[in-house]
Amino acid sequence: MFGTTLSGADISTLVHVIVAFFIAGTLLFQWRAIHPAVSAAAGAEKVRETIRSHWAPVMRIGMVLLIGTGVYQLMVLGMPKAELQKSSEAAGLSYHMLFGIKFLLAMAILFIGNAMVGKSAALASIREKAPMWLGLACAMVIAVIVISRHLAEMPA
Ligand code: HEM
């Protein structure tokens, strides 16, 4: 991945992966630790609101960084790979198709992560069924990482 100097794509990938692992890790932690603990605690509403107000800005900054670095990586890493794939008529799954699936899954994960820290009544039903949605988000994270690693290994 790295040459003697760090390129823009190297730095973007590092930021992308670091943020992705933090965001994904906290979804698992919310599912298996925070939600059960808060639900059982006295004064659950107050604890929940304290966590929510501290975590919401981090979640939002993480989302902007992930989408920003992801779009940049698509331009500088993904497009050339997709072009090469077209011109070489190589067998295998299409870069665009895999990226499309990854993108939709990533958006669904970020949507669930944001719903957890949101206040809108429209998304209250997602927060009420948090264990189910967080579990689903964790399963989607696994799929996103498998696809992303495959994209990263495709010939450039
Ligand atoms: C939950 C959200 C996300 C996770 C967990 C995630 C995870 C990853 C991981 C692990 C890599 C592999 C890096 C490597 O091994 O070199 C990667 C690469 C990449 N991601 Fe994401 N990502 C997420 C969201 C996004 C979004 C929203 C976009 C697009 C807007 C995006 C676009 C990309 C691109 C284009 C690459 C480079 C693929 C290549 O090297 O050809 N990602 N991501």
Side-chain angles (χ1 to χ4, degrees):
M1 172 186 174
F2 303 119
T4 41
T5 50
L6 282 182
S7 67
D10 290 339
I11 294 168
S12 176
T13 303
L14 273 181
V15 172
H16 191 81
V17 171
I18 291 166
V19 175
F21 278 89
F22 278 131
I23 296 288
T26 60
L27 291 170
L28 179 62
F29 191 62
Q30 282 181 69
W31 181 34
R32 301 314 304 160
I34 300 274
H35 193 266
V38 171
S39 305
E45 267 320 303
K46 212 167 157 213
V47 183
R48 190 170 290 130
E49 178 51 26
T50 309
I51 295 174
R52 198 204 62 75
S53 62
H54 282 82
W55 189 241
V58 184
M59 183 67 216
R60 285 179 191 135
I61 292 169
M63 191 174 83
V64 170
L65 285 173
L66 266 182
I67 295 175
T69 52
V71 169
Y72 177 71
Q73 277 156 218
L74 180 65
M75 300 299 163
V76 297
L77 298 172
M79 290 309 190
K81 288 182 189 178
E83 284 305 316
L84 179 72
Q85 198 179 36
K86 239 188 270 165
S87 61
S88 69
E89 286 173 22
L93 296 168
S94 132
Y95 188 98
H96 282 310
M97 186 198 73
L98 287 173
F99 175 78
I101 298 170
K102 178 221 160 123
F103 182 76
L104 291 178
L105 289 173
M107 286 300 144
I109 294 164
L110 295 175
F111 176 78
I112 294 171
N114 265 294
M116 292 303 151
V117 295
K119 286 203 281 194
S120 85
L123 302 181
S125 65
I126 295 188
R127 286 188 290 280
E128 277 154 24
K129 295 202 182 97
M132 194 271 275
W133 288 105
L134 288 168
L136 178 66
C138 290
M140 291 194 289
V141 163
I142 295 172
V144 163
I145 292 181
V146 170
I147 296 174
S148 302
R149 284 299 303 141
H150 184 73
L151 292 176
E153 296 292 322
M154 282 170 78

